[in-house]
Amino acid sequence: MEFEREQDAVSRRIQAMRQRVSEAKEANLYYFNQPVSELRGGARVIVRGREMGMFASYSYLGLIGHPRINSAAKAAVDRYGTGTHGVRSLAGTLAIHTELEETIADFKKAEASVTFTSGYVTNLTVVSTLVGREDYVISDKLNHASIVDGCVMSGAKFLRFRHNDMDALEIRLKQIPDGAAKLVIADAVFSMDGDIIDLPKMVELCRKYNAWLMIDEAHSVGVLGDTGRGIEEHFDMIGSVDIKMGTLSKTIPSVGGYVAGKRDLVEYLRHAGRAYIFSAALPPAQAAAANEAFKVILDEPWRMEKLRINANQFIQGLKNRGFDTMLTETAIVPVLCGDDEVAYQMTQYSQQRDVFVLPVISPAVPVGLARLRATVTAAHESHEIETAMNIIEQAGKAVGVIQG
Ligand SMILES: Cc1ncc(COP(=O)(O)O)c(C=O)c1O
């Protein structure tokens, strides 16, 4: 028999969300959670029965569906089955996990690496394992939610600094009492804006104030650096980041997260990180797919070059059409819309014409800075980018984001 609950804060929260979602659905402006039913080549998908150009993917090098990666995943299923025997510390470690961790360490030019089952969980567990109540954690204001959640979970004193502003970071570092442990964290490439952290200055400050430096490379592996190794390679500063965190769900077409760094650090995380000890290991197919993907990146350097050309075409083309693409320098291209409603309308117009872009609205971004968050990948052809930009231009004119 169902229980009639009295209204409380929890039920009010649920109802408020239900109302927000149903209003968007009624206005035909709800674009979240749409299932992709099929992949059609590297940059096209079937959604709601229509073939669309995918301009919202994190698969920056177009590796989803790569034959070598698919074969590696299938071979791992034949060899190991689909699951593991538990958590990594007990019976869950497979030979493919060890192989993947060696591959990542080589790729990141680090002594060692450790993997976890998602990027989100990696940030939670790593931050909260490294720092605690007596310590300080300092985070860029635009860092990803998983970093913020890790900082809160750690119980450390949580300070934030103005986005990519190294003077503001130094002010924070100066506020911390001598002798206290401090961890500075930033995204390498910011997930909503596409700009790049000022690593050289950040490293200088961390050394000056004896702080640990952790960089989240979710959107920089396969995107930055001549061979796709990420932010250290981009700035020619290999070995300068203490805690090189990354995901296996974006350029690497799998799921999971990792930290690469010094052997002692990695061993510490392996024995103290709660997500490693208390959560089941990565499934073998996903570990094998990730392992092969790092090798494909190095074997197919043309993908990096094509991504750079495509990102340049997309950013310049949208700017020339009058859009504000904010500070992006990478494959993540925000198209500023302003109000949430306008971002929804831009999405609707574009998707109705088979360009799959998505809105980013508050609270993911500040009120008034809603945007389309378009991405470009190495799988796009120049003419596909041109077509997509023409449709986004028509959308912009139709809803008044740019002059008609
Ligand atoms: C910067 C950043 N860090 C971490 C994550 C979480 O990674 P995952 O989706 O692999 O759990 C994301 C995901 O969007 C991200 O953008």
Side-chain angles (χ1 to χ4, degrees):
M1 205 168 68
E2 277 201 23
F3 167 63
E4 276 302 320
R5 183 178 304 283
E6 270 179 44
Q7 282 270 319
D8 65 359
V10 175
S11 46
R12 279 192 291 277
R13 246 172 248 141
I14 293 171
Q15 275 160 22
M17 183 57 76
R18 193 185 60 188
Q19 191 176 339
R20 196 176 173 194
V21 170
S22 58
E23 278 169 14
K25 283 185 176 166
E26 273 159 30
N28 229 352
L29 293 172
Y30 184 82
Y31 284 96
F32 303 109
N33 302 307
Q34 297 181 81
V36 168
S37 55
E38 218 179 300
L39 197 61
R40 286 279 167 89
R44 301 192 72 74
V45 289
I46 306 289
V47 179
R48 288 180 275 113
R50 299 169 72 123
E51 185 171 320
M52 300 202 189
M54 170 53 93
F55 283 86
S57 174
Y58 295 138
S59 182
Y60 298 117
L61 293 182
L63 295 181
I64 292 186
H66 192 291
R68 261 175 69 184
I69 299 172
N70 283 3
S71 299
K74 287 175 195 163
V77 171
D78 290 341
R79 182 165 168 193
Y80 300 102
T82 53
T84 63
H85 304 275
V87 300
R88 287 292 303 276
S89 328
L90 300 177
T93 293
L94 304 172
I96 188 62
H97 294 128
T98 312
E99 210 183 306
L100 170 62
E101 287 166 353
E102 281 168 11
T103 300
I104 294 172
D106 280 354
F107 188 87
K108 295 300 298 171
K109 295 194 186 287
E111 284 180 8
S113 88
V114 53
T115 52
F116 302 89
T117 41
S118 84
Y120 180 85
V121 151
T122 303
N123 278 333
L124 285 192
T125 206
V126 170
V127 179
S128 62
T129 304
L130 290 176
V131 289
R133 254 209 296 262
E134 303 307 314
D135 311 321
Y136 287 76
V137 61
I138 313 176
S139 168
D140 184 288
K141 274 203 172 157
L142 294 192
N143 276 348
H144 189 259
S146 54
I147 298 176
V148 176
D149 293 356
C151 295
V152 171
M153 188 173 147
S154 74
K157 290 164 196 81
F158 181 21
L159 308 177
R160 303 199 306 156
F161 63 95
R162 186 136 48 91
H163 174 52
N164 214 355
D165 180 336
M166 294 303 127
D167 293 336
L169 171 59
E170 184 157 22
I171 290 169
R172 291 295 188 218
L173 284 162
K174 276 187 182 153
Q175 288 169 345
I176 299 177
D178 286 347
K182 19 193 177 321
L183 173 65
V184 172
I185 316 182
D187 288 9
V189 168
F190 286 84
S191 57
M192 297 296 155
D193 295 64
D195 55 335
I196 303 170
I197 194 75
D198 180 354
L199 185 70
K201 190 70 192 163
M202 207 168 214
V203 168
E204 186 190 314
L205 288 175
C206 286
R207 289 183 179 169
K208 180 171 171 190
Y209 291 92
N210 194 36
W212 290 78
L213 177 58
M214 172 166 169
I215 299 285
D216 177 335
E217 297 236 47
H219 302 278
S220 55
V221 161
V223 175
L224 296 183
D226 287 345
T227 61
R229 284 185 161 84
I231 189 140
E232 288 184 327
E233 187 181 42
H234 175 78
F235 284 109
D236 197 12
M237 294 177 69
I238 297 282
S240 58
V241 175
D242 302 306
I243 303 145
K244 302 174 231 296
M245 179 272 167
T247 62
L248 302 173
S249 62
K250 298 184 177 15
T251 293
I252 305 298
S254 183
V255 73
Y258 63 85
V259 163
K262 289 264 196 278
R263 199 173 308 282
D264 284 353
L265 166 79
V266 166
E267 282 306 296
Y268 174 63
L269 293 172
R270 224 182 265 292
H271 292 96
R274 292 169 75 81
Y276 188 90
I277 303 168
F278 295 112
S279 184
L282 266 183
Q286 299 314 123
N291 187 48
E292 195 64 22
F294 283 103
K295 295 176 182 172
V296 170
I297 295 176
L298 298 179
D299 290 345
E300 299 183 2
W302 61 266
R303 290 180 183 272
M304 287 291 306
E305 186 52 26
K306 192 160 170 218
L307 178 62
R308 267 188 213 114
I309 293 169
N310 285 355
N312 197 39
Q313 180 188 352
F314 199 45
I315 296 168
Q316 287 313 320
L318 289 167
K319 278 191 173 145
N320 293 343
R321 286 167 170 83
F323 288 107
D324 181 350
T325 56
M326 307 177 78
L327 295 174
T328 186
E329 301 170 66
T330 64
I332 297 171
V333 185
V335 178
L336 190 63
C337 298
D339 292 341
D340 291 357
E341 185 71 14
V342 178
Y344 281 137
Q345 287 165 354
M346 291 278 287
T347 305
Q348 182 184 54
Y349 189 102
S350 304
Q351 288 207 13
Q352 281 172 349
R353 286 152 189 86
D354 300 332
V355 173
F356 193 91
V357 285
L358 288 171
V360 180
I361 54 165
S362 60
V365 291
V367 173
L369 293 182
R371 62 199 72 170
L372 291 186
R373 185 172 164 287
T375 54
V376 71
T377 76
H380 290 115
E381 297 306 331
S382 176
H383 68 89
E384 292 174 314
I385 298 171
E386 211 55 36
T387 305
M389 289 192 300
N390 288 341
I391 286 169
I392 295 170
E393 179 180 9
Q394 289 164 21
K397 286 178 177 163
V399 307
V401 173
I402 52 173
Q403 304 260 298

